Amino acid sequence: MTAAAAAAAVTGVTAPVAHADDRKLQDLLSRMSLEEKVGQLFVMRVYGHSATAPDQADVDANLKEIGVRTAAELVERYHVGGVIYFAWAHNTRDPHQIADLSNGIQRAGLAQPTPVPLLISTDQEHGIVCRVGEPATLLPGAMALGAAGSHAHARKAAQIAGSELAAVGIRQNYAPVADVNVNPANPVIGVRSFGADPNAVADLVAAQVKGYQRAGVAATSKHFPGHGDTAVDSHYGLPTITHTRAQWAELDAPPFRAAIAAGIDSIMTAHIVVPALDPSEDPATLSRPILTGILREELGYDGVVVTDSLGMEGVRTKYGDERVPVLALKAGVDQLLNPPNLSVAWNAVLAAVRSGELTEARLDESILRILRLKARLGLFKDPYVTHAGVDRTVGTAAHLAHADRIAEATTTLLVNEGGFLPVSRRSHPRVLVVGADPASPSGTTGPPTTTLAGALTELGFTARALSTGITPTAARIEEAVAAAAGQDLVVVGTYNLSATSPQRTLVARLVATGVPVVTIAIRNPYDVARISGQRATLASYSWTDVELRAAVRVLAGRADPRGRLPVPIQDADDPAKVLYPVGHGLSYA
């Protein structure tokens, strides 16, 4: 552990860089060429499990998208300040491989004419967004932690997550989400948020920031100025938030204020339009009134500001890929994340400095923030990790046990007609599990129906899994109805029910068989507003194994339901009517 990380582990706070270190960083900055400076601003994806010897398919993908063969060549050519890992880019096969990839990238950074370690990042929110999977510890996501309502659980989850990321060389995590999810139809945030109460969200965000700091990982609150009230996914369009300035201050701002007060290392921007904050209707990522006027000057934040991915449609709608990185820097951004075409973006920034549109001093301001963060994380002293460190930290029995305990505190019992739950293997021995099987967030868990059936079998039930899918066909529904014959219980995993979802037909047909039906909302808890006739409904807030196993323990009475709704659930036909308020959750006692 570095000295900085050791201090953080004791105090819970990352110490500021001393003036002597700042002078060293200024000296390092003065030795950089303009090209090296431009590179420091970029955090880029790269394909492959190895920094120097990726599979041929990944070499081909790198050549097509970036014009380099490997991660090492990416660093050599563009001098990037950071790399972001994705499972789909084949960066995260297993912990030892990730550690080796991180070390290879750091070696490439230190082999540059001006040696600089890289800041390696990923989106490890847990819950439904997770890039590093088993055997790493997988933990409940934000809304599940919101249901638990425990600051200690939130802090511990972040500390475990951060320590395992640091062990494999990932030192910047794009979490926690600070958005307040007040729109049940939000297609991009939802259960990634801690909930709908801005003060509760603020407290949990601050707790997670402290947890990541203790682990020596830079936390990132996102998505500023607040992405919780939109029905448009900024990956595919440009959402508009219609909150007034007063509404923003009351609803969206508190979690970001709390993150800043907790010493947040970085804040990620949102590709959203907020006319009340910037009447130009530029996306927040490109808005100087929002990023400099509000975030820097009004909220007093002087840490690193990172864009959300520049490949998302929300930031590309109004301006071309050549203008976006330049406008982001002019707005007050420090790190430019994952542009669709690095050559275009990198050369655009270079040209903007040479033409005088951007000054070199403006670049230096951002680079110094980035270098300070790298120094605080101890990367200049020792950027490397070891297999022994991985083995001591990643997926340990203690971490897995903590994950199970935290998950049990999140499971929420929404409906329990006549006290039907808990059920025992003696009264209801034969169980059919049907429902949706969405792809694992990390690619390493599930499928959900199999996980649920397996957990029931371990508790002594005779359980069978039948995947009916997110959009079950009429034939599949009939198959499920036929399979229910002779069963004592049917468990249905529901996933994001809409008014027209055939999952509703599935539940109704199963209820009509007379076999008791229990539903588990494996993503959004709002599903319960669109079904009826079931004997009980649980909310697990995600379909990762740790949360599904916890839901089964609650169903079988091996654990008490302790979760409480962190969002209100409205009537599907009359949104003004609240069926289940914030804080709702049934108990067995």
Side-chain angles (χ1 to χ4, degrees), residues 221 224-225 245 248 256-257 260 264 266-269 287-306 331-334:
S221 59
F224 190 82
R245 179 65 187 257
W248 174 81
F256 291 101
R257 290 185 184 276
I260 293 167
I264 189 74
S266 49
I267 291 177
M268 180 178 283
T269 68
S287 169
R288 186 169 179 81
I290 291 175
L291 298 187
T292 296
I294 295 175
L295 182 56
R296 295 279 191 215
E297 296 171 0
E298 182 180 321
L299 300 187
Y301 178 65
D302 192 40
V304 170
V305 174
V306 56
V333 158
D334 301 306

PDB file of all heavy atoms in Angstrom, residues 221 224-225 245 248 256-257 260 264 266-269 287-306 331-334:
ATOM      1  N   SER A 221     -18.607  11.210  -8.628  1.00  0.00           N
ATOM      2  CA  SER A 221     -20.056  11.365  -8.551  1.00  0.00           C
ATOM      3  C   SER A 221     -20.568  11.807  -9.918  1.00  0.00           C
ATOM      4  O   SER A 221     -19.937  12.594 -10.613  1.00  0.00           O
ATOM      5  CB  SER A 221     -20.451  12.364  -7.463  1.00  0.00           C
ATOM      6  OG  SER A 221     -19.890  13.625  -7.685  1.00  0.00           O
ATOM      7  N   PHE A 224     -23.486  15.247 -13.290  1.00  0.00           N
ATOM      8  CA  PHE A 224     -23.762  16.642 -12.995  1.00  0.00           C
ATOM      9  C   PHE A 224     -24.325  17.366 -14.222  1.00  0.00           C
ATOM     10  O   PHE A 224     -23.813  17.189 -15.314  1.00  0.00           O
ATOM     11  CB  PHE A 224     -22.479  17.341 -12.526  1.00  0.00           C
ATOM     12  CG  PHE A 224     -22.716  18.718 -11.968  1.00  0.00           C
ATOM     13  CD1 PHE A 224     -23.131  18.874 -10.652  1.00  0.00           C
ATOM     14  CD2 PHE A 224     -22.570  19.848 -12.757  1.00  0.00           C
ATOM     15  CE1 PHE A 224     -23.370  20.141 -10.135  1.00  0.00           C
ATOM     16  CE2 PHE A 224     -22.814  21.110 -12.252  1.00  0.00           C
ATOM     17  CZ  PHE A 224     -23.221  21.257 -10.928  1.00  0.00           C
ATOM     18  N   PRO A 225     -25.381  18.163 -14.021  1.00  0.00           N
ATOM     19  CA  PRO A 225     -25.994  18.650 -12.776  1.00  0.00           C
ATOM     20  C   PRO A 225     -27.157  17.814 -12.255  1.00  0.00           C
ATOM     21  O   PRO A 225     -27.876  18.250 -11.367  1.00  0.00           O
ATOM     22  CB  PRO A 225     -26.488  20.040 -13.175  1.00  0.00           C
ATOM     23  CG  PRO A 225     -26.887  19.888 -14.611  1.00  0.00           C
ATOM     24  CD  PRO A 225     -25.871  18.931 -15.208  1.00  0.00           C
ATOM     25  N   ARG A 245     -34.631  26.645 -11.555  1.00  0.00           N
ATOM     26  CA  ARG A 245     -33.393  26.785 -10.781  1.00  0.00           C
ATOM     27  C   ARG A 245     -33.636  26.401  -9.315  1.00  0.00           C
ATOM     28  O   ARG A 245     -32.804  25.728  -8.684  1.00  0.00           O
ATOM     29  CB  ARG A 245     -32.878  28.222 -10.898  1.00  0.00           C
ATOM     30  CG  ARG A 245     -31.588  28.504 -10.117  1.00  0.00           C
ATOM     31  CD  ARG A 245     -30.434  27.705 -10.665  1.00  0.00           C
ATOM     32  NE  ARG A 245     -29.254  27.838  -9.831  1.00  0.00           N
ATOM     33  CZ  ARG A 245     -28.198  28.593 -10.117  1.00  0.00           C
ATOM     34  NH1 ARG A 245     -28.191  29.288 -11.230  1.00  0.00           N
ATOM     35  NH2 ARG A 245     -27.178  28.660  -9.314  1.00  0.00           N
ATOM     36  N   TRP A 248     -33.934  22.638  -9.072  1.00  0.00           N
ATOM     37  CA  TRP A 248     -32.606  22.028  -9.182  1.00  0.00           C
ATOM     38  C   TRP A 248     -31.869  22.116  -7.844  1.00  0.00           C
ATOM     39  O   TRP A 248     -31.275  21.126  -7.382  1.00  0.00           O
ATOM     40  CB  TRP A 248     -31.784  22.717 -10.273  1.00  0.00           C
ATOM     41  CG  TRP A 248     -30.373  22.215 -10.311  1.00  0.00           C
ATOM     42  CD1 TRP A 248     -29.915  21.083 -10.900  1.00  0.00           C
ATOM     43  CD2 TRP A 248     -29.242  22.817  -9.650  1.00  0.00           C
ATOM     44  NE1 TRP A 248     -28.571  20.928 -10.665  1.00  0.00           N
ATOM     45  CE2 TRP A 248     -28.128  21.967  -9.904  1.00  0.00           C
ATOM     46  CE3 TRP A 248     -29.058  23.965  -8.892  1.00  0.00           C
ATOM     47  CZ2 TRP A 248     -26.851  22.252  -9.415  1.00  0.00           C
ATOM     48  CZ3 TRP A 248     -27.793  24.245  -8.394  1.00  0.00           C
ATOM     49  CH2 TRP A 248     -26.701  23.399  -8.655  1.00  0.00           C
ATOM     50  N   PHE A 256     -24.586  16.334  -4.930  1.00  0.00           N
ATOM     51  CA  PHE A 256     -23.299  16.836  -5.421  1.00  0.00           C
ATOM     52  C   PHE A 256     -22.633  17.719  -4.369  1.00  0.00           C
ATOM     53  O   PHE A 256     -21.413  17.674  -4.189  1.00  0.00           O
ATOM     54  CB  PHE A 256     -23.486  17.576  -6.742  1.00  0.00           C
ATOM     55  CG  PHE A 256     -23.867  16.664  -7.877  1.00  0.00           C
ATOM     56  CD1 PHE A 256     -25.180  16.572  -8.297  1.00  0.00           C
ATOM     57  CD2 PHE A 256     -22.911  15.875  -8.502  1.00  0.00           C
ATOM     58  CE1 PHE A 256     -25.544  15.711  -9.336  1.00  0.00           C
ATOM     59  CE2 PHE A 256     -23.261  15.008  -9.532  1.00  0.00           C
ATOM     60  CZ  PHE A 256     -24.582  14.931  -9.951  1.00  0.00           C
ATOM     61  N   ARG A 257     -23.435  18.516  -3.662  1.00  0.00           N
ATOM     62  CA  ARG A 257     -22.879  19.299  -2.557  1.00  0.00           C
ATOM     63  C   ARG A 257     -22.268  18.381  -1.503  1.00  0.00           C
ATOM     64  O   ARG A 257     -21.179  18.645  -0.978  1.00  0.00           O
ATOM     65  CB  ARG A 257     -23.978  20.160  -1.925  1.00  0.00           C
ATOM     66  CG  ARG A 257     -24.479  21.304  -2.789  1.00  0.00           C
ATOM     67  CD  ARG A 257     -25.476  22.159  -2.011  1.00  0.00           C
ATOM     68  NE  ARG A 257     -26.066  23.210  -2.814  1.00  0.00           N
ATOM     69  CZ  ARG A 257     -25.518  24.404  -3.045  1.00  0.00           C
ATOM     70  NH1 ARG A 257     -24.341  24.679  -2.491  1.00  0.00           N
ATOM     71  NH2 ARG A 257     -26.127  25.297  -3.776  1.00  0.00           N
ATOM     72  N   ILE A 260     -18.975  16.911  -2.716  1.00  0.00           N
ATOM     73  CA  ILE A 260     -17.889  17.894  -2.646  1.00  0.00           C
ATOM     74  C   ILE A 260     -17.431  18.068  -1.209  1.00  0.00           C
ATOM     75  O   ILE A 260     -16.231  18.100  -0.910  1.00  0.00           O
ATOM     76  CB  ILE A 260     -18.343  19.229  -3.266  1.00  0.00           C
ATOM     77  CG1 ILE A 260     -18.550  19.051  -4.777  1.00  0.00           C
ATOM     78  CG2 ILE A 260     -17.317  20.328  -2.999  1.00  0.00           C
ATOM     79  CD1 ILE A 260     -19.289  20.203  -5.440  1.00  0.00           C
ATOM     80  N   ILE A 264     -14.847  14.622  -2.739  1.00  0.00           N
ATOM     81  CA  ILE A 264     -14.925  13.825  -3.963  1.00  0.00           C
ATOM     82  C   ILE A 264     -13.745  14.139  -4.886  1.00  0.00           C
ATOM     83  O   ILE A 264     -13.341  15.294  -5.038  1.00  0.00           O
ATOM     84  CB  ILE A 264     -16.272  14.073  -4.689  1.00  0.00           C
ATOM     85  CG1 ILE A 264     -16.477  13.095  -5.844  1.00  0.00           C
ATOM     86  CG2 ILE A 264     -16.392  15.510  -5.175  1.00  0.00           C
ATOM     87  CD1 ILE A 264     -16.830  11.711  -5.434  1.00  0.00           C
ATOM     88  N   SER A 266     -13.479  13.284  -8.287  1.00  0.00           N
ATOM     89  CA  SER A 266     -13.853  13.690  -9.639  1.00  0.00           C
ATOM     90  C   SER A 266     -15.367  13.705  -9.771  1.00  0.00           C
ATOM     91  O   SER A 266     -16.073  13.000  -9.046  1.00  0.00           O
ATOM     92  CB  SER A 266     -13.213  12.780 -10.702  1.00  0.00           C
ATOM     93  OG  SER A 266     -13.401  11.411 -10.404  1.00  0.00           O
ATOM     94  N   ILE A 267     -15.855  14.526 -10.677  1.00  0.00           N
ATOM     95  CA  ILE A 267     -17.285  14.650 -10.948  1.00  0.00           C
ATOM     96  C   ILE A 267     -17.482  14.500 -12.441  1.00  0.00           C
ATOM     97  O   ILE A 267     -16.773  15.113 -13.238  1.00  0.00           O
ATOM     98  CB  ILE A 267     -17.847  15.993 -10.444  1.00  0.00           C
ATOM     99  CG1 ILE A 267     -17.847  16.019  -8.908  1.00  0.00           C
ATOM    100  CG2 ILE A 267     -19.248  16.252 -10.979  1.00  0.00           C
ATOM    101  CD1 ILE A 267     -18.321  17.322  -8.298  1.00  0.00           C
ATOM    102  N   MET A 268     -18.454  13.656 -12.821  1.00  0.00           N
ATOM    103  CA  MET A 268     -18.737  13.407 -14.230  1.00  0.00           C
ATOM    104  C   MET A 268     -19.916  14.257 -14.691  1.00  0.00           C
ATOM    105  O   MET A 268     -20.915  14.390 -13.989  1.00  0.00           O
ATOM    106  CB  MET A 268     -19.051  11.920 -14.465  1.00  0.00           C
ATOM    107  CG  MET A 268     -19.357  11.572 -15.918  1.00  0.00           C
ATOM    108  SD  MET A 268     -19.678   9.798 -16.174  1.00  0.00           S
ATOM    109  CE  MET A 268     -17.991   9.164 -16.110  1.00  0.00           C
ATOM    110  N   THR A 269     -19.798  14.775 -15.889  1.00  0.00           N
ATOM    111  CA  THR A 269     -20.838  15.623 -16.456  1.00  0.00           C
ATOM    112  C   THR A 269     -21.945  14.786 -17.090  1.00  0.00           C
ATOM    113  O   THR A 269     -21.772  13.614 -17.398  1.00  0.00           O
ATOM    114  CB  THR A 269     -20.262  16.538 -17.539  1.00  0.00           C
ATOM    115  OG1 THR A 269     -19.857  15.731 -18.666  1.00  0.00           O
ATOM    116  CG2 THR A 269     -19.071  17.324 -17.030  1.00  0.00           C
ATOM    117  N   SER A 287     -21.300  23.192 -21.329  1.00  0.00           N
ATOM    118  CA  SER A 287     -21.860  24.441 -20.820  1.00  0.00           C
ATOM    119  C   SER A 287     -20.942  25.101 -19.800  1.00  0.00           C
ATOM    120  O   SER A 287     -20.772  24.613 -18.683  1.00  0.00           O
ATOM    121  CB  SER A 287     -23.223  24.168 -20.174  1.00  0.00           C
ATOM    122  OG  SER A 287     -23.666  25.305 -19.457  1.00  0.00           O
ATOM    123  N   ARG A 288     -20.390  26.250 -20.148  1.00  0.00           N
ATOM    124  CA  ARG A 288     -19.576  27.002 -19.191  1.00  0.00           C
ATOM    125  C   ARG A 288     -20.410  27.535 -18.019  1.00  0.00           C
ATOM    126  O   ARG A 288     -19.952  27.478 -16.873  1.00  0.00           O
ATOM    127  CB  ARG A 288     -18.835  28.138 -19.900  1.00  0.00           C
ATOM    128  CG  ARG A 288     -17.859  28.859 -18.979  1.00  0.00           C
ATOM    129  CD  ARG A 288     -16.938  29.811 -19.714  1.00  0.00           C
ATOM    130  NE  ARG A 288     -16.043  30.490 -18.781  1.00  0.00           N
ATOM    131  CZ  ARG A 288     -14.932  29.982 -18.273  1.00  0.00           C
ATOM    132  NH1 ARG A 288     -14.547  28.763 -18.652  1.00  0.00           N
ATOM    133  NH2 ARG A 288     -14.188  30.663 -17.422  1.00  0.00           N
ATOM    134  N   PRO A 289     -21.635  28.038 -18.258  1.00  0.00           N
ATOM    135  CA  PRO A 289     -22.439  28.468 -17.104  1.00  0.00           C
ATOM    136  C   PRO A 289     -22.673  27.356 -16.085  1.00  0.00           C
ATOM    137  O   PRO A 289     -22.730  27.628 -14.883  1.00  0.00           O
ATOM    138  CB  PRO A 289     -23.753  28.927 -17.753  1.00  0.00           C
ATOM    139  CG  PRO A 289     -23.370  29.333 -19.128  1.00  0.00           C
ATOM    140  CD  PRO A 289     -22.293  28.373 -19.535  1.00  0.00           C
ATOM    141  N   ILE A 290     -22.804  26.109 -16.546  1.00  0.00           N
ATOM    142  CA  ILE A 290     -23.065  25.004 -15.629  1.00  0.00           C
ATOM    143  C   ILE A 290     -21.780  24.493 -14.985  1.00  0.00           C
ATOM    144  O   ILE A 290     -21.699  24.346 -13.755  1.00  0.00           O
ATOM    145  CB  ILE A 290     -23.798  23.863 -16.353  1.00  0.00           C
ATOM    146  CG1 ILE A 290     -25.227  24.304 -16.721  1.00  0.00           C
ATOM    147  CG2 ILE A 290     -23.841  22.599 -15.491  1.00  0.00           C
ATOM    148  CD1 ILE A 290     -26.004  23.300 -17.546  1.00  0.00           C
ATOM    149  N   LEU A 291     -20.753  24.224 -15.784  1.00  0.00           N
ATOM    150  CA  LEU A 291     -19.541  23.595 -15.244  1.00  0.00           C
ATOM    151  C   LEU A 291     -18.620  24.580 -14.531  1.00  0.00           C
ATOM    152  O   LEU A 291     -18.041  24.244 -13.488  1.00  0.00           O
ATOM    153  CB  LEU A 291     -18.780  22.870 -16.352  1.00  0.00           C
ATOM    154  CG  LEU A 291     -19.530  21.723 -17.035  1.00  0.00           C
ATOM    155  CD1 LEU A 291     -18.608  20.985 -17.992  1.00  0.00           C
ATOM    156  CD2 LEU A 291     -20.116  20.755 -16.011  1.00  0.00           C
ATOM    157  N   THR A 292     -18.476  25.772 -15.079  1.00  0.00           N
ATOM    158  CA  THR A 292     -17.627  26.763 -14.421  1.00  0.00           C
ATOM    159  C   THR A 292     -18.453  27.652 -13.492  1.00  0.00           C
ATOM    160  O   THR A 292     -18.122  27.825 -12.316  1.00  0.00           O
ATOM    161  CB  THR A 292     -16.877  27.621 -15.459  1.00  0.00           C
ATOM    162  OG1 THR A 292     -15.994  26.779 -16.204  1.00  0.00           O
ATOM    163  CG2 THR A 292     -16.061  28.714 -14.770  1.00  0.00           C
ATOM    164  N   GLY A 293     -19.580  28.161 -14.006  1.00  0.00           N
ATOM    165  CA  GLY A 293     -20.385  29.074 -13.204  1.00  0.00           C
ATOM    166  C   GLY A 293     -20.967  28.432 -11.959  1.00  0.00           C
ATOM    167  O   GLY A 293     -20.884  28.989 -10.864  1.00  0.00           O
ATOM    168  N   ILE A 294     -21.558  27.248 -12.118  1.00  0.00           N
ATOM    169  CA  ILE A 294     -22.215  26.602 -10.976  1.00  0.00           C
ATOM    170  C   ILE A 294     -21.267  25.653 -10.248  1.00  0.00           C
ATOM    171  O   ILE A 294     -21.046  25.770  -9.040  1.00  0.00           O
ATOM    172  CB  ILE A 294     -23.480  25.855 -11.434  1.00  0.00           C
ATOM    173  CG1 ILE A 294     -24.518  26.853 -11.961  1.00  0.00           C
ATOM    174  CG2 ILE A 294     -24.065  25.051 -10.273  1.00  0.00           C
ATOM    175  CD1 ILE A 294     -25.764  26.204 -12.539  1.00  0.00           C
ATOM    176  N   LEU A 295     -20.690  24.674 -10.968  1.00  0.00           N
ATOM    177  CA  LEU A 295     -19.892  23.646 -10.299  1.00  0.00           C
ATOM    178  C   LEU A 295     -18.623  24.224  -9.686  1.00  0.00           C
ATOM    179  O   LEU A 295     -18.316  23.984  -8.511  1.00  0.00           O
ATOM    180  CB  LEU A 295     -19.546  22.531 -11.290  1.00  0.00           C
ATOM    181  CG  LEU A 295     -18.741  21.355 -10.739  1.00  0.00           C
ATOM    182  CD1 LEU A 295     -19.445  20.712  -9.549  1.00  0.00           C
ATOM    183  CD2 LEU A 295     -18.491  20.320 -11.832  1.00  0.00           C
ATOM    184  N   ARG A 296     -17.874  25.003 -10.448  1.00  0.00           N
ATOM    185  CA  ARG A 296     -16.610  25.534  -9.951  1.00  0.00           C
ATOM    186  C   ARG A 296     -16.845  26.718  -8.997  1.00  0.00           C
ATOM    187  O   ARG A 296     -16.364  26.722  -7.869  1.00  0.00           O
ATOM    188  CB  ARG A 296     -15.744  26.009 -11.121  1.00  0.00           C
ATOM    189  CG  ARG A 296     -15.286  24.910 -12.058  1.00  0.00           C
ATOM    190  CD  ARG A 296     -14.100  24.180 -11.524  1.00  0.00           C
ATOM    191  NE  ARG A 296     -13.518  23.306 -12.528  1.00  0.00           N
ATOM    192  CZ  ARG A 296     -12.972  22.128 -12.266  1.00  0.00           C
ATOM    193  NH1 ARG A 296     -12.936  21.679 -11.029  1.00  0.00           N
ATOM    194  NH2 ARG A 296     -12.460  21.389 -13.226  1.00  0.00           N
ATOM    195  N   GLU A 297     -17.594  27.726  -9.476  1.00  0.00           N
ATOM    196  CA  GLU A 297     -17.670  28.993  -8.739  1.00  0.00           C
ATOM    197  C   GLU A 297     -18.720  28.964  -7.633  1.00  0.00           C
ATOM    198  O   GLU A 297     -18.454  29.374  -6.504  1.00  0.00           O
ATOM    199  CB  GLU A 297     -17.932  30.136  -9.724  1.00  0.00           C
ATOM    200  CG  GLU A 297     -16.779  30.329 -10.701  1.00  0.00           C
ATOM    201  CD  GLU A 297     -17.097  31.296 -11.833  1.00  0.00           C
ATOM    202  OE1 GLU A 297     -18.234  31.827 -11.861  1.00  0.00           O
ATOM    203  OE2 GLU A 297     -16.220  31.524 -12.687  1.00  0.00           O
ATOM    204  N   GLU A 298     -19.913  28.459  -7.936  1.00  0.00           N
ATOM    205  CA  GLU A 298     -20.972  28.465  -6.927  1.00  0.00           C
ATOM    206  C   GLU A 298     -20.776  27.359  -5.889  1.00  0.00           C
ATOM    207  O   GLU A 298     -20.903  27.598  -4.687  1.00  0.00           O
ATOM    208  CB  GLU A 298     -22.332  28.309  -7.604  1.00  0.00           C
ATOM    209  CG  GLU A 298     -23.501  28.361  -6.636  1.00  0.00           C
ATOM    210  CD  GLU A 298     -24.844  28.212  -7.334  1.00  0.00           C
ATOM    211  OE1 GLU A 298     -25.011  28.776  -8.437  1.00  0.00           O
ATOM    212  OE2 GLU A 298     -25.727  27.515  -6.792  1.00  0.00           O
ATOM    213  N   LEU A 299     -20.476  26.146  -6.343  1.00  0.00           N
ATOM    214  CA  LEU A 299     -20.303  25.031  -5.409  1.00  0.00           C
ATOM    215  C   LEU A 299     -18.877  24.921  -4.892  1.00  0.00           C
ATOM    216  O   LEU A 299     -18.607  24.140  -3.976  1.00  0.00           O
ATOM    217  CB  LEU A 299     -20.726  23.720  -6.073  1.00  0.00           C
ATOM    218  CG  LEU A 299     -22.178  23.635  -6.559  1.00  0.00           C
ATOM    219  CD1 LEU A 299     -22.501  22.232  -7.047  1.00  0.00           C
ATOM    220  CD2 LEU A 299     -23.149  24.049  -5.470  1.00  0.00           C
ATOM    221  N   GLY A 300     -17.945  25.660  -5.479  1.00  0.00           N
ATOM    222  CA  GLY A 300     -16.579  25.696  -4.966  1.00  0.00           C
ATOM    223  C   GLY A 300     -15.766  24.448  -5.221  1.00  0.00           C
ATOM    224  O   GLY A 300     -14.812  24.160  -4.489  1.00  0.00           O
ATOM    225  N   TYR A 301     -16.094  23.714  -6.283  1.00  0.00           N
ATOM    226  CA  TYR A 301     -15.382  22.466  -6.580  1.00  0.00           C
ATOM    227  C   TYR A 301     -14.139  22.741  -7.414  1.00  0.00           C
ATOM    228  O   TYR A 301     -14.211  23.386  -8.465  1.00  0.00           O
ATOM    229  CB  TYR A 301     -16.313  21.514  -7.323  1.00  0.00           C
ATOM    230  CG  TYR A 301     -15.654  20.213  -7.723  1.00  0.00           C
ATOM    231  CD1 TYR A 301     -15.219  19.316  -6.753  1.00  0.00           C
ATOM    232  CD2 TYR A 301     -15.439  19.891  -9.064  1.00  0.00           C
ATOM    233  CE1 TYR A 301     -14.604  18.127  -7.103  1.00  0.00           C
ATOM    234  CE2 TYR A 301     -14.831  18.706  -9.419  1.00  0.00           C
ATOM    235  CZ  TYR A 301     -14.414  17.835  -8.439  1.00  0.00           C
ATOM    236  OH  TYR A 301     -13.794  16.659  -8.794  1.00  0.00           O
ATOM    237  N   ASP A 302     -12.994  22.236  -6.962  1.00  0.00           N
ATOM    238  CA  ASP A 302     -11.756  22.434  -7.716  1.00  0.00           C
ATOM    239  C   ASP A 302     -11.078  21.115  -8.044  1.00  0.00           C
ATOM    240  O   ASP A 302      -9.899  21.066  -8.357  1.00  0.00           O
ATOM    241  CB  ASP A 302     -10.780  23.328  -6.931  1.00  0.00           C
ATOM    242  CG  ASP A 302      -9.614  23.783  -7.809  1.00  0.00           C
ATOM    243  OD1 ASP A 302      -9.848  24.112  -8.998  1.00  0.00           O
ATOM    244  OD2 ASP A 302      -8.465  23.784  -7.319  1.00  0.00           O
ATOM    245  N   GLY A 303     -11.833  20.012  -7.990  1.00  0.00           N
ATOM    246  CA  GLY A 303     -11.272  18.729  -8.373  1.00  0.00           C
ATOM    247  C   GLY A 303     -11.406  18.481  -9.861  1.00  0.00           C
ATOM    248  O   GLY A 303     -11.708  19.383 -10.651  1.00  0.00           O
ATOM    249  N   VAL A 304     -11.191  17.238 -10.247  1.00  0.00           N
ATOM    250  CA  VAL A 304     -11.217  16.843 -11.657  1.00  0.00           C
ATOM    251  C   VAL A 304     -12.662  16.728 -12.147  1.00  0.00           C
ATOM    252  O   VAL A 304     -13.503  16.112 -11.486  1.00  0.00           O
ATOM    253  CB  VAL A 304     -10.477  15.503 -11.849  1.00  0.00           C
ATOM    254  CG1 VAL A 304     -10.685  14.950 -13.253  1.00  0.00           C
ATOM    255  CG2 VAL A 304      -8.989  15.684 -11.556  1.00  0.00           C
ATOM    256  N   VAL A 305     -12.928  17.315 -13.296  1.00  0.00           N
ATOM    257  CA  VAL A 305     -14.219  17.163 -13.974  1.00  0.00           C
ATOM    258  C   VAL A 305     -13.995  16.303 -15.206  1.00  0.00           C
ATOM    259  O   VAL A 305     -13.155  16.618 -16.054  1.00  0.00           O
ATOM    260  CB  VAL A 305     -14.821  18.524 -14.382  1.00  0.00           C
ATOM    261  CG1 VAL A 305     -16.089  18.316 -15.213  1.00  0.00           C
ATOM    262  CG2 VAL A 305     -15.150  19.355 -13.151  1.00  0.00           C
ATOM    263  N   VAL A 306     -14.727  15.200 -15.289  1.00  0.00           N
ATOM    264  CA  VAL A 306     -14.608  14.278 -16.420  1.00  0.00           C
ATOM    265  C   VAL A 306     -15.928  14.242 -17.170  1.00  0.00           C
ATOM    266  O   VAL A 306     -16.998  14.274 -16.562  1.00  0.00           O
ATOM    267  CB  VAL A 306     -14.194  12.857 -15.940  1.00  0.00           C
ATOM    268  CG1 VAL A 306     -15.163  12.308 -14.906  1.00  0.00           C
ATOM    269  CG2 VAL A 306     -14.060  11.894 -17.109  1.00  0.00           C
ATOM    270  N   ALA A 331     -15.663  24.867 -21.521  1.00  0.00           N
ATOM    271  CA  ALA A 331     -16.711  24.895 -20.492  1.00  0.00           C
ATOM    272  C   ALA A 331     -16.149  24.677 -19.092  1.00  0.00           C
ATOM    273  O   ALA A 331     -16.755  25.121 -18.114  1.00  0.00           O
ATOM    274  CB  ALA A 331     -17.760  23.834 -20.798  1.00  0.00           C
ATOM    275  N   GLY A 332     -15.005  23.985 -18.987  1.00  0.00           N
ATOM    276  CA  GLY A 332     -14.403  23.737 -17.681  1.00  0.00           C
ATOM    277  C   GLY A 332     -14.068  22.291 -17.387  1.00  0.00           C
ATOM    278  O   GLY A 332     -13.700  21.950 -16.263  1.00  0.00           O
ATOM    279  N   VAL A 333     -14.151  21.428 -18.388  1.00  0.00           N
ATOM    280  CA  VAL A 333     -13.842  20.007 -18.227  1.00  0.00           C
ATOM    281  C   VAL A 333     -12.331  19.800 -18.142  1.00  0.00           C
ATOM    282  O   VAL A 333     -11.547  20.565 -18.712  1.00  0.00           O
ATOM    283  CB  VAL A 333     -14.446  19.221 -19.416  1.00  0.00           C
ATOM    284  CG1 VAL A 333     -13.744  17.894 -19.629  1.00  0.00           C
ATOM    285  CG2 VAL A 333     -15.939  19.021 -19.213  1.00  0.00           C
ATOM    286  N   ASP A 334     -11.920  18.738 -17.439  1.00  0.00           N
ATOM    287  CA  ASP A 334     -10.504  18.363 -17.361  1.00  0.00           C
ATOM    288  C   ASP A 334     -10.192  17.103 -18.157  1.00  0.00           C
ATOM    289  O   ASP A 334      -9.190  17.043 -18.859  1.00  0.00           O
ATOM    290  CB  ASP A 334     -10.103  18.139 -15.905  1.00  0.00           C
ATOM    291  CG  ASP A 334     -10.332  19.374 -15.056  1.00  0.00           C
ATOM    292  OD1 ASP A 334      -9.829  20.447 -15.415  1.00  0.00           O
ATOM    293  OD2 ASP A 334     -11.043  19.255 -14.029  1.00  0.00           O
TER     294      ASP A 334
END
